[in-house]
């Protein structure tokens, strides 16, 4: 490629030698997975009304959870905080010191593997394992020290309804987690009990969604940041609403101008299947998932599902009498559910060779399948269609929040494996935003756009710590809305001793 040139987000490829049966299938798939401009606009408009509905007393399918994170940091936050991130693959523990210098911090962190069995184990095993990791962290980094209670921001990236910031009733597991006895209950008491059992000097200050952490961490360094998004194993967004626009909080008589971060939980958008162009493959994904009927939007977009959609299409084509693909080959590996991840699709889309030789090798090594050139062309096209659909649908969510709030110019902080690693995701999203919002021809390239989606700061580390800091500051100022027990939140912490932060 010449210096300065950019790869286009889709490949022309040569379809000249592709036999008619495969070409017909390619056209059919293109039809199924393409979301044209008008559809994007229709989805966005419906999304805007669903965001509003989620804030009402009756509610809708998007939970729109108030998080009790009530404001942005101003850079003058100080103190030492722990942050815990319970991700799908790792558990990360950080100690973050927000220093006297405005907007600066020091961080130390350790990662622990999250054993796969935990995801479908028991609640006791989960909380016990997490508490063990925190204990190890404290013992390793603070051996033989007399510690005050350390305030903790716990990033729990699942839908939780919060009456207080240190409270969270799990609405439902997402992203393949299925631990019995947790849904419908406050996750904080069993977590705190596991810490107390081990005598770990930690006080949970804030239960944080990863999107809220992302929003706050990003706004810490960029005041134009208005939305925090995760495009990873799951997908979701958070933004700052004003309390006056949250009818379901009206009974609390909060000052209507007070800010309140809303964890949208937009993965649940269109659970009633009114507007999203679902394919038969999306329907299978849903049916076979641990929570059918939930997370309709997420299941078309998030990293956990992209590889599975791709696998289901290929298997269906193999079984389809109308076309010949992987003929007379052993498809046992391809038949295994969830055997392909989004990284597999990324690798296909990144194959730089005209003859798609890397894709050929990938199929041979991973699936034991030898592909012909026309099959490779179909495979590449399919990956492109699935990846592009995910990026374009994601843009509908971002555009909907901006439309709801009347924001025409702002930054959006995004994190997650799909955003950071999936080829062309950003530019495909920007192109879709342009189509939805009717930007001029020179916009929508992903740079200097009116609404620009940028890589976020560390939400589950610095973001969670900042939210803990903001919470303690609020308690000290006597602003106790959404704090379960202000006295006990401060008890034993350094903040209580000093009286100030
Ligand atoms: C969860 C959200 C989370 C998102 C991204 C979704 O499955 O419900 O709480 O923010 O994944 O991690």
């Amino acid at each position: 490629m010449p210096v300065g040139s950019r790869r286009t987000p889709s490949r022309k490829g040569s379809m000249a030698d592709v036999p008619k049966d495969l070409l017909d299938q390619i056209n059919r798939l293109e039809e199924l997975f393409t979301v044209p401009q008008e559809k994007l606009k229709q989805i966005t408009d419906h999304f805007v009304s669903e965001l509003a509905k989620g804030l009402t007393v009756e509610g809708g399918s998007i939970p729109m959870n108030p998080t009790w994170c009530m404001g942005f940091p101003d850079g003058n936050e100080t103190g030492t905080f722990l942050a815990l991130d319970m991700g799908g693959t790792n558990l990360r523990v950080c100690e973050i010191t927000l220093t006297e210098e405005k907007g600066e911090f020091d961080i130390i962190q350790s990662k622990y593997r999250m054993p796969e069995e935990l995801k479908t184990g028991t609640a006791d095993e989960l909380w016990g394992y997490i508490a063990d990791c925190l204990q190890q962290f404290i013992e390793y980094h603070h051996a033989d020290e007399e510690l005050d209670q350390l305030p903790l921001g716990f990033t729990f990236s699942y839908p939780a309804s919060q009456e207080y910031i240190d409270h969270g009733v799990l609405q439902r597991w997402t992203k393949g987690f299925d631990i019995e006895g947790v849904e419908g209950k406050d996750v904080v008491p069993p977590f705190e009990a596991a810490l107390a059992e081990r005598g770990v000097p930690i006080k949970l200050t804030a239960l944080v969604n990863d999107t809220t952490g992302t929003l706050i961490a990003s706004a810490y360094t960029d005041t134009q940041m208005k939305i925090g998004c995760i495009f990873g194993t799951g997908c979701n967004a958070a933004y700052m609403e004003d309390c006056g626009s949250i009818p379901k909080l009206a009974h609390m008589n909060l000052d209507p101008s007070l800010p309140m971060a809303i964890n949208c939980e937009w993965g649940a958008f269109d659970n009633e299947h009114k507007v999203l162009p679902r394919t038969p493959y999306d329907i299978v994904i849903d049916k076979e998932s641990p929570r059918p009927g939930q997370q309709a939007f997420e299941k078309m977009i998030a990293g956990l599902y992209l590889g599975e959609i791709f696998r289901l299409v290929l298997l269906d084509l193999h079984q389809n009498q109308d076309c010949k693909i992987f003929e007379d080959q052993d498809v046992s590996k391809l038949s295994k559910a969830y055997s392909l991840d989004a990284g597999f699709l990324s690798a296909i889309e990144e194959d730089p060779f005209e003859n798609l030789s890397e894709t050929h090798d990938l199929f041979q090594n991973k699936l034991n399948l030898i592909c012909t050139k026309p099959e490779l062309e179909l495979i590449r096209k399919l990956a492109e269609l699935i990846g592009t659909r995910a990026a374009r649908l994601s843009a509908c969510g971002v555009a909907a929040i901006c439309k709801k709030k009347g924001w025409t110019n702002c930054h959006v902080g995004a994190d997650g494996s799909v955003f950071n690693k999936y080829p062309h995701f950003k530019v495909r999203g920007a192109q879709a935003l342009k189509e939805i919002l009717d930007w001029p021809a020179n916009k929508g390239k992903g740079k200097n756009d009116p609404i620009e989606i940028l890589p976020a700061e560390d939400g589950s580390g610095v973001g969670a710590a900042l939210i803990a800091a903001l919470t303690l500051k609020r308690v000290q100022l006597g602003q106790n809305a959404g704090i379960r027990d202000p006295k006990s939140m401060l008890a034993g912490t350094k903040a209580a001793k000093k009286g100030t932060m």
Side-chain angles (χ1 to χ4, degrees):
M1 224 173 4
V3 179
S5 81
R6 279 205 289 168
R7 274 169 57 199
T8 52
S10 71
R11 172 178 172 275
K12 256 216 170 81
S14 162
M15 298 290 170
D17 302 325
V18 178
K20 169 120 184 13
D21 63 332
L22 285 192
L23 210 51
D24 285 349
Q25 291 305 326
I26 291 175
N27 291 336
R28 183 182 70 91
L29 293 170
E30 193 152 16
E31 182 82 12
L32 270 180
F33 283 95
T34 303
V35 192
Q37 180 178 22
E38 275 320 301
K39 188 69 184 170
L40 290 177
K41 288 187 172 185
Q42 188 197 350
I43 295 168
T44 306
D45 288 343
H46 186 53
F47 218 129
V48 176
S49 60
E50 288 295 300
L51 292 173
K53 196 163 161 200
L55 293 172
T56 63
V57 178
E58 307 76 55
S61 54
I62 309 183
M64 302 296 278
N65 294 326
T67 64
W68 304 102
C69 165
M70 300 178 71
F72 286 112
D74 61 14
N76 295 316
E77 294 70 21
T78 57
T80 297
F81 301 88
L82 289 182
L84 162 70
D85 181 12
M86 180 188 140
T89 26
N90 289 314
L91 202 84
R92 184 168 68 124
V93 184
C94 309
E95 185 176 306
I96 291 141
T97 302
L98 305 170
T99 55
E100 297 290 337
E101 294 84 45
K102 199 171 155 101
E104 306 247 321
F105 60 87
D106 297 325
I107 182 164
I108 49 175
Q109 58 176 322
S110 300
K111 273 190 183 168
Y112 306 87
R113 200 179 66 84
M114 184 91 180
E116 199 55 33
E117 318 81 75
L118 269 191
K119 290 188 194 172
T120 50
T122 68
D124 281 350
E125 283 162 4
L126 175 73
W127 303 126
Y129 181 78
I130 295 178
D132 283 341
C133 292
L134 282 166
Q135 183 172 29
Q136 268 185 44
F137 182 90
I138 300 275
E139 280 170 2
Y140 182 77
H141 292 287
H142 296 281
D144 307 322
E145 283 176 47
E146 267 297 311
L147 286 180
D148 295 308
Q149 289 280 330
L150 283 165
L152 168 77
F154 177 8
T155 302
F156 183 72
S157 308
Y158 306 89
S161 49
Q162 297 187 275
E163 276 170 43
Y164 313 99
I165 196 159
D166 49 341
H167 165 257
V169 175
L170 177 64
Q171 291 163 328
R172 72 198 70 85
W173 285 118
T174 58
K175 297 182 280 199
F177 272 70
D178 193 8
I179 302 170
E180 228 178 279
V182 188
E183 284 170 319
K185 294 195 192 128
D186 183 0
V187 297
V188 176
F191 169 73
E192 284 187 327
L195 289 176
E197 243 170 58
R198 291 162 179 78
V200 190
I202 290 178
K203 174 77 200 152
L204 183 137
T205 307
L207 191 74
V208 177
N209 188 260
D210 51 358
T211 54
T212 319
T214 297
L215 170 68
I216 296 301
S218 301
Y220 192 48
T221 52
D222 175 354
T223 52
Q224 279 178 273
M225 284 287 178
K226 300 270 198 199
I227 300 175
C229 283
I230 301 288
F231 302 112
T233 308
C235 81
N236 188 15
Y239 73 102
M240 204 59 89
E241 190 52 272
D242 41 280
C243 288
S245 306
I246 312 175
K248 64 183 173 187
L249 291 185
H251 63 284
M252 299 196 69
N253 294 321
L254 300 165
D255 175 345
S257 66
L258 277 179
M260 172 75 78
I262 299 290
N263 163 21
C264 301
E265 289 297 336
W266 76 18
F269 171 64
D270 205 33
N271 278 351
E272 56 287 273
H273 311 313
K274 284 203 177 133
V275 67
L276 288 174
R278 291 209 308 167
T279 67
Y281 310 106
D282 299 305
I283 293 168
V284 175
I285 293 257
D286 184 43
K287 256 215 266 14
E288 315 263 290
S289 76
R291 295 288 179 280
Q294 305 290 349
Q295 304 295 94
F297 186 59
E298 175 161 279
K299 284 171 177 161
M300 298 172 80
I301 289 178
L304 178 59
Y305 306 103
L306 298 183
E308 182 64 1
I309 301 172
F310 175 82
R311 189 189 71 83
L312 288 171
V313 176
L314 289 184
L315 204 58
D316 180 44
L317 291 182
H318 175 70
Q319 287 155 355
N320 188 333
Q321 304 298 326
D322 300 341
C323 74
K324 291 191 175 61
I325 185 168
F326 314 136
E327 220 190 352
D328 300 328
Q329 295 198 59
D330 172 10
V331 292
S332 53
K333 289 204 167 165
L334 185 69
S335 306
K336 198 165 164 268
Y338 287 91
S339 52
L340 304 180
D341 59 14
F344 190 81
L345 257 66
S346 300
I348 296 171
E349 284 222 54
E350 268 163 355
D351 185 344
F353 299 112
E354 208 43 56
N355 64 0
L356 299 173
S357 59
E358 283 189 357
T359 309
H360 179 274
D361 296 352
L362 211 60
F363 267 70
Q364 184 164 13
N365 297 336
K366 173 102 191 172
L367 297 169
N368 221 357
L369 292 170
I370 308 284
C371 304
T372 63
K373 179 73 194 336
E375 286 171 351
L376 290 171
E377 287 294 345
L378 179 140
I379 285 164
R380 170 66 166 247
K381 184 76 195 170
L382 177 60
E384 223 174 85
L385 286 170
I386 293 172
T388 304
R389 185 184 73 159
R392 287 171 73 78
L393 291 178
S394 301
C396 296
V398 173
I401 295 181
C402 291
K403 273 191 143 183
K404 176 179 189 307
K405 295 301 294 171
W407 296 330
T408 49
N409 281 274
C410 69
H411 289 167
V412 174
D415 208 347
S417 50
V418 172
F419 182 77
N420 292 322
K421 297 201 196 123
Y422 200 95
H424 317 301
F425 187 82
K426 298 182 187 98
V427 77
R428 287 168 177 168
Q431 167 66 31
L433 280 178
K434 170 183 168 173
E435 291 175 38
I436 298 167
L437 300 167
D438 294 315
W439 288 342
N442 62 344
K443 297 292 178 192
K445 308 229 157 53
K447 255 199 184 142
N448 300 321
D449 286 333
I451 294 166
E452 199 172 340
I453 308 183
L454 297 162
E457 300 297 329
D458 173 13
S460 58
V462 181
L466 282 166
I467 293 173
L470 288 168
T471 306
L472 289 187
K473 203 154 132 187
R474 271 207 305 123
V475 176
Q476 287 175 319
L477 294 171
Q479 300 165 357
N480 292 331
I483 313 282
R484 196 194 312 233
D485 178 355
K487 255 208 201 114
S488 92
M489 183 164 280
L490 288 182
T493 65
K494 205 174 230 148
K497 286 188 189 160
K498 280 205 296 190
T500 59
M501 293 293 298

